Amino acid sequence: MNSTVRQNPLSLSADDRARVEEVDQLARKGASSLPTLLAGLDAPSWAVRRAVVSALARLGTPAVQPLCDVLIHQRDNEARIAAAVDALVAATGEVDGPVEVLGDDANPAIVCDAAQVLGRRRSRQSVPLLARLTVHADDNVAVAAIEALGRIGGGAAVDALLASLGSGNFFRIFPAIDVLGRSGDPTVVPALMALLTDPFYSLEACRALGRTGQEAAVPALVGLLQRGNDAVVRVAAVALVEIHDAQVARFGGARMVPSVLRSSSAEPQPTGRRLAQVISGADAGEKTAVARLLGWVGGADAATGLLKLLDSQDLGVSRAAAAGLGELGADADAQILQALREGDSSRRRVLLPLVGKRSAAVPDVLLCLEDRDAMVRALAAETLSRIGDTSAVQALFVRLSDEDPRVVQAVVGAIQSLGSETTETLALEAARSADTRQRRAALRIVAYFGYPRGLDALLLAMRDPDERLRDAAIYGLPFIDDPRAVDALLAAASHESERTRATAMRALGQTDKQARITSTLLGGLNDRDPWVRYYACQSLGKLNEEAAADAIVALANDDAGQVRVAVVDALAHLHTESAMAALRRAASSTDADVRRAALLGLGVARRPDALPVLLEAVHSDDPATRLVALSAVAEYDAPETLPALLRAAGDRDDSVRSAAVGFLATRTGQHATQALVSLLGDVMLREQVVGALALPVDGRLAGLLAALEVADDTTAPLLVAALARMRRADARAALMQALAGASPAGRRASAPAVAALGTLESREALDRAAHRDEDADVRRACLLALGR
């Protein structure tokens, strides 16, 4: 802890820094410094107290009893008590025994401190004591023991917590409900469901069932949607969403909640209508949950409710409503289209992405092409593209002259996506338009489809004084198989306009390699304009013109930074020794862009002699350089690669860490799986690591099964979740194998996943384990998974 303090010296006063250094020196003296360190537990400075706590914790066993004595005899200062508790929690050595003694103290406050220490230390040996404390005469002690048992978890702790539910004591039952829900233990579900009928505890029990993430609670919670009051319905909706999300996180595409909801719609009052009724009065989180449930329920009532939620000021709610309408599909089409016709621009922005792929929607979407809001017009074009009905093509061509570039871009994209028998005729006609915007857009369409009949229109545009028209024409010339197209490009390469020359150089890189093209590009390397040189260099690389390597290398020190980057990019496509040598030199350039481009180029080449350069760059001070170097190292199948990726997963930069996990995800072999498993302890990376482990590459299943053989209560559910998300026959077989051969924690975690398979074989395996497994908690988990 004191190391953290020293990393931020500017946040401390000079006196505090001196005191922290003094504490460090005392810690190095060992047990002889105990009296002085204990006296520092009530230091006014938080930073000094943290340093003292850290020092006492490192002293281990010798400091434990003196710290316990502080809790007994020096209770006149809250800061001192809190610091003593923290030190005991973090202490090494024998701690639990001496602290358990405090559990029998006559002072309830001391007993509460003991319970807190044991809970935070997750001391399984102390469960019997804590279970006894849950029935202590003092409510504060009982609550502290309940919270401690919740931290520890496990079968014995859960049994003690369940017993608290029958205490009849309001102050103990409520925290027990909360702790049981957060435990995620499947065995708590029946007891929590029993409280749903008690109006005093039903809301809290409902919330707790959601936190368990257990599907066994779903039918009871869905039942509450029918018979509960508005508050209960809203809380039940949140709980059902929590369970669904937990099941998806564990097992992949779990759909139990949606299927039970849909079956419940046969009730006298359809579920969709009941959910729509509770929207008013709900907070943002509850509205979001209701929106998701309405999307799963389906039907006209659900669509009506979701349309109401679309207008929410809370972005999360409106997005959930939009997603819900998307799930309804054809059930909501009529209402969405009506709202599209009658809605204003803001409503249309939300609705257009939800329009289904039905030709019947085309007339209403075409109306939106005339909306005053440019974003709506652009979304309308994208929607028409998604629907795929070519009857919209002619109306789209009319919008090519739209004043907003975003709309034109969307319209061009839609026309290109739809095609049609009339597109060529309409494009050639628009290419002769007097409207420059329409003409330029039409040339892009001609270029995209490569219409041979469009060559004359492109050549005509090449003679136009408008540079943007010439650009559009040049872009299309490489895609038309006609010698005149290449002739026009070569002529444009010597045009008086620097922009036109640069565009021509870029386009020549998309043609076939010919002597006259290479000659023109080589000439472009000496152009006075840096962008002409840039594209000439880039195109020579794309054409893999190795004969130009020396000429490209000569530009390595060009005054223009973009040219230097293009040199490196081009050299990466060539395979000559001079090109590789130049890349290695560029990898140590003082220009960050050049350096990163060189590292990428070396990675593409995958030459063994370049690997040391890349590994060195992985340790750069610049995060962007580390990221580029790491992506290059990941291309190598070398012994050094895996350790480098694993180290990068602990990088101080989020993007580097995330990229390292992504590269590890695609590597084959058990060693890569072992590396990923070792990262599960990083809470920030955990979800991404589980997703990476769920990628079924060679060696993944064997690696996961090996990890499950020694997994603990933290990692086992994560490993099982990775197997379940694969949703493959071999992964399902691996889950069955884990139920029989993993560690006790692995077998417990496997039980609900095996039950989710829903096969006769899986039920038989659970039944065997429920009767024969040597671990009582495994047997109980299997029985619960079987619904017994």
Side-chain angles (χ1 to χ4, degrees):
M1 294 181 184
N2 57 329
S3 61
T4 302
V5 173
R6 287 201 302 270
Q7 287 172 6
N8 300 282
L10 296 179
S11 65
L12 301 179
S13 67
D15 288 344
D16 282 352
R17 285 199 296 274
R19 288 291 310 277
V20 168
E21 290 299 328
E22 181 183 344
V23 169
D24 284 348
Q25 292 174 9
L26 287 169
R28 286 192 285 270
K29 293 179 180 179
S32 62
S33 63
L34 259 173
T36 308
L37 287 172
L38 290 169
L41 285 171
D42 59 356
S45 166
W46 177 89
V48 175
R49 288 201 307 277
R50 299 316 298 165
V52 170
V53 166
S54 178
L56 287 167
R58 292 200 307 275
L59 287 179
T61 302
V64 172
Q65 191 56 54
L67 285 166
C68 290
D69 292 340
V70 168
L71 295 179
I72 297 171
H73 302 297
Q74 300 182 50
R75 302 194 63 82
D76 58 325
N77 184 295
E78 288 296 330
R80 181 193 299 125
I81 294 171
V85 167
D86 287 346
L88 285 167
V89 170
T92 58
E94 174 54 40
V95 178
D96 296 353
V99 174
E100 284 185 9
V101 174
L102 302 182
D104 292 319
D105 197 277
N107 185 343
I110 295 173
V111 182
C112 285
D113 290 338
Q116 183 185 164
V117 171
L118 295 171
R120 287 170 63 186
R121 288 181 64 84
R122 290 176 171 79
S123 172
R124 289 192 177 276
Q125 77 170 45
S126 305
V127 168
L129 168 66
L130 293 168
R132 177 162 53 83
L133 292 179
T134 62
V135 295
H136 194 278
D138 187 278
D139 283 338
N140 290 326
V141 172
V143 170
I146 286 169
E147 292 174 348
L149 288 169
R151 287 177 179 271
I152 297 170
V158 167
D159 287 342
L161 290 167
L162 290 172
S164 297
L165 294 182
S167 67
N169 186 315
F170 168 89
F171 294 104
R172 304 182 186 197
I173 293 175
F174 265 88
I177 291 172
D178 178 65
V179 168
L180 285 168
R182 295 182 189 282
S183 73
D185 192 306
T187 62
V188 309
V189 172
L192 292 174
M193 287 197 299
L195 294 174
L196 292 177
T197 57
D198 187 326
F200 200 60
Y201 299 114
S202 59
L203 283 177
E204 202 60 33
C206 191
R207 291 189 183 95
L209 285 168
R211 296 185 189 115
T212 67
Q214 299 297 324
E215 286 187 339
V218 171
L221 291 171
V222 170
L224 289 179
L225 300 181
Q226 290 291 333
R227 66 175 186 273
N229 59 36
D230 286 2
V232 170
V233 171
R234 290 193 286 264
V235 173
V238 173
L240 286 166
V241 168
E242 285 184 327
I243 291 174
H244 173 80
D245 289 347
Q247 292 296 306
V248 170
R250 291 175 193 165
F251 311 130
R255 301 291 294 175
M256 181 181 179
V257 174
S259 63
V260 175
L261 277 171
R262 280 191 287 270
S263 66
S264 74
S265 291
E267 298 288 337
Q269 180 173 346
T271 305
R273 186 180 308 164
R274 183 70 186 101
L275 287 167
Q277 290 170 349
V278 304
I279 290 173
S280 59
D283 62 28
E286 292 166 343
K287 286 179 179 178
T288 300
V290 168
R292 293 184 65 183
L293 262 60
L294 286 170
W296 295 334
V297 169
D301 292 320
T304 301
L306 287 168
L307 285 169
K308 290 180 183 177
L309 289 169
L310 277 179
D311 295 326
S312 173
Q313 297 299 309
D314 187 279
L315 186 59
V317 174
S318 59
R319 283 178 175 172
L325 283 166
E327 287 219 29
L328 292 185
D331 287 347
D333 277 357
Q335 287 165 292
I336 288 175
L337 293 179
Q338 180 180 350
L340 201 63
R341 285 192 298 273
E342 300 172 355
D344 58 12
S345 297
S346 60
R347 172 60 71 91
R348 286 174 167 179
R349 283 190 183 196
V350 178
L351 290 172
L352 279 167
L354 307 177
V355 174
K357 297 180 180 180
R358 295 163 64 90
S359 296
V362 170
D364 293 310
V365 178
L366 286 175
L367 287 175
C368 297
L369 276 179
E370 307 300 325
D371 194 279
R372 67 177 184 275
D373 187 321
M375 180 61 73
V376 173
R377 299 197 299 274
L379 286 171
E382 292 170 2
T383 303
L384 291 168
S385 173
R386 188 173 67 251
I387 293 172
D389 189 322
T390 57
S391 65
V393 168
Q394 188 156 3
L396 286 166
F397 265 97
V398 174
R399 299 307 314 179
L400 287 179
S401 56
D402 196 285
E403 60 187 14
D404 191 287
R406 294 171 299 174
V407 178
V408 175
Q409 178 74 18
V411 168
V412 169
I415 292 171
Q416 291 171 345
S417 173
L418 291 171
S420 81
E421 295 179 355
T422 61
T423 297
E424 181 176 1
T425 300
L426 292 169
L428 293 176
E429 181 180 338
R432 296 190 295 271
S433 170
D435 186 303
T436 303
R437 288 191 299 267
Q438 187 176 31
R439 187 180 176 195
R440 189 165 58 244
L443 289 174
R444 289 167 56 194
I445 295 169
V446 170
Y448 177 83
F449 288 107
Y451 293 133
R453 288 199 301 145
L455 179 59
D456 289 338
L458 296 176
L459 294 176
L460 179 62
M462 291 288 290
R463 298 191 293 272
D464 197 279
D466 188 309
E467 282 191 327
R468 290 179 297 175
L469 271 177
R470 294 201 301 271
D471 284 352
I474 291 171
Y475 172 79
L477 288 172
F479 304 109
I480 295 182
D481 187 15
D482 189 307
R484 291 180 297 161
V486 176
D487 292 342
L489 282 175
L490 293 172
S494 58
H495 197 278
E496 61 182 10
S497 164
E498 293 171 342
R499 173 172 173 168
T500 299
R501 293 201 306 277
T503 306
M505 292 294 176
R506 182 181 186 181
L508 286 170
Q510 297 173 294
T511 61
D512 295 328
K513 190 176 356 179
Q514 301 177 23
R516 57 181 183 154
I517 291 174
T518 299
S519 176
T520 299
L521 291 172
L522 285 170
L525 295 178
N526 299 312
D527 196 277
R528 65 179 180 275
D529 181 72
W531 286 108
V532 176
R533 300 196 299 276
Y534 173 88
Y535 285 117
C537 188
Q538 189 180 75
S539 291
L540 285 167
K542 286 181 178 179
L543 294 175
N544 196 24
E545 188 58 76
E546 294 189 357
D550 291 340
I552 292 172
V553 169
L555 288 178
N557 296 315
D558 194 280
D559 291 338
Q562 70 266 39
V563 177
R564 297 194 297 272
V565 171
V567 166
V568 173
D569 180 63
L571 292 174
H573 291 83
L574 309 180
H575 303 288
T576 65
E577 285 302 322
S578 60
M580 290 300 104
L583 279 178
R584 285 193 291 270
R585 289 194 300 273
S588 59
S589 170
T590 56
D591 186 315
D593 290 331
V594 171
R595 185 168 64 252
R596 289 193 284 267
L599 293 170
L600 279 175
L602 290 171
V604 171
R606 297 188 192 180
R607 287 171 57 112
D609 57 352
L611 184 56
V613 177
L614 297 171
L615 290 170
E616 182 180 354
V618 170
H619 300 288
S620 167
D621 292 334
D622 175 45
T625 299
R626 295 200 301 276
L627 185 60
V628 168
L630 191 68
S631 65
V633 169
E635 296 292 328
Y636 284 80
D637 185 14
E640 299 92 339
T641 301
L642 191 58
L645 294 176
L646 189 55
R647 284 193 300 272
D651 195 275
R652 58 188 178 274
D653 183 81
D654 289 342
S655 60
V656 176
R657 288 199 304 274
S658 180
V661 174
F663 293 135
L664 284 169
T666 58
R667 294 194 76 81
T668 59
Q670 278 190 245
H671 291 307
T673 299
Q674 291 168 357
L676 284 168
V677 171
S678 71
L679 298 174
L680 288 172
D682 188 332
V683 177
M684 300 299 292
L685 286 176
R686 185 169 290 168
E687 180 56 33
Q688 186 185 359
V689 171
V690 172
L693 287 169
L695 194 66
V697 298
D698 289 344
R700 182 72 83 233
L701 289 178
L704 288 172
L705 286 172
L708 276 167
E709 290 179 3
V710 294
D712 58 20
D713 289 327
T714 300
T715 58
L718 303 173
L719 298 171
V720 168
L723 281 172
R725 290 187 193 183
M726 290 184 192
R727 307 182 73 183
R728 290 162 41 116
D730 51 359
R732 291 191 287 271
L735 284 172
M736 300 279 284
Q737 187 176 339
L739 182 63
S743 67
R747 300 199 300 279
R748 286 195 299 274
S750 299
V754 170
L757 300 179
T759 64
L760 177 61
E761 183 185 8
S762 65
R763 291 191 65 82
E764 290 175 346
L766 286 167
D767 189 68
R768 283 194 302 273
H771 291 91
R772 302 177 189 174
D773 197 281
E774 61 186 20
D775 186 279
D777 287 340
V778 174
R779 295 195 298 273
R780 180 161 49 178
C782 291
L783 285 171
L784 190 68
L786 288 166
R788 299 177 188 171

